[in-house]
Amino acid sequence: MEFLRLIHGYQFPSGLALLFPTPYALATLILFVWSIAPAVKMRTGAGFTLWLRVTWVLTLLPAVTGVILALGGAKVPSATDVGGGLSKYNYPTDPSRDWEHWMYAGLCVISLYVIEVLVRGRLIEHRVGLRLLPVATLFLYGCAYMIGRVAVFPGSTPGT
């Protein structure tokens, strides 16, 4: 179980964690920056597609380990009381953050699917999809960032 927690909960131990707290958030930030070129050029390259696949892997790895941990009864650290009403990170516990963590994870999977649809041009015209690509990847980055934030910090109603 500790190995799964290590994989699932890895965070960068530096000041850059304010911009990208996890490797997944970093991958989505790179995907966002990279998505600007296909929106301008009106075509995606092999490198972008490869990075999109890497992002899928970095999405599914913590998702699968998170489901296994949840089935074992684990909750996000910000929702878990380790004593005295404090979380692992010495903030007040906030049990409502557990469902938020799940919500953002689900939004990430949905966003990645939408990005795949935009890149392939299945439901909407390919050119329009590529123009919308930076918006979808920015949303994905925001959700990936919030996954890490929700796991550490309490919300506006700690203790409820």
Side-chain angles (χ1 to χ4, degrees):
M1 261 335 208
E2 285 305 313
F3 180 68
L4 291 177
R5 280 191 182 89
L6 178 70
I7 291 172
H8 182 77
Y10 181 78
Q11 295 182 337
F12 292 121
S14 69
L16 291 176
L18 294 174
L19 184 59
F20 44 86
T22 62
Y24 177 53
L26 176 61
T28 59
L29 179 61
I30 292 169
L31 190 69
F32 164 64
V33 171
W34 204 334
S35 72
I36 296 170
V40 172
K41 293 179 184 177
M42 287 298 164
R43 61 183 167 82
T44 57
F48 181 81
T49 305
L50 177 66
W51 193 255
L52 183 57
R53 299 302 177 263
V54 168
T55 306
W56 268 109
V57 170
L58 289 174
T59 301
L60 295 176
L61 187 63
V64 169
T65 57
V67 167
I68 293 169
L69 288 169
L71 290 174
K75 296 188 181 299
V76 296
S78 63
T80 306
D81 188 355
V82 294
L86 298 176
S87 71
K88 170 183 168 182
Y89 300 103
N90 289 326
Y91 292 110
T93 57
D94 189 357
S96 67
R97 295 301 247 184
D98 194 49
W99 75 265
E100 283 183 68
H101 191 72
W102 282 98
M103 176 191 69
Y104 286 120
L107 286 172
C108 283
V109 172
I110 292 169
S111 297
L112 274 170
Y113 177 74
V114 167
I115 291 168
E116 288 283 346
V117 168
L118 293 176
V119 167
R120 291 184 181 162
R122 299 280 184 191
L123 296 177
I124 61 174
E125 186 183 344
H126 190 66
R127 287 186 9 205
V128 175
L130 291 179
R131 291 274 185 214
L132 294 174
L133 192 59
V135 175
T137 55
L138 180 61
F139 182 78
L140 174 64
Y141 166 67
C143 290
Y145 177 82
M146 286 305 292
I147 286 173
R149 181 171 170 70
V150 162
V152 175
F153 299 109
S156 60
T157 57
T160 61

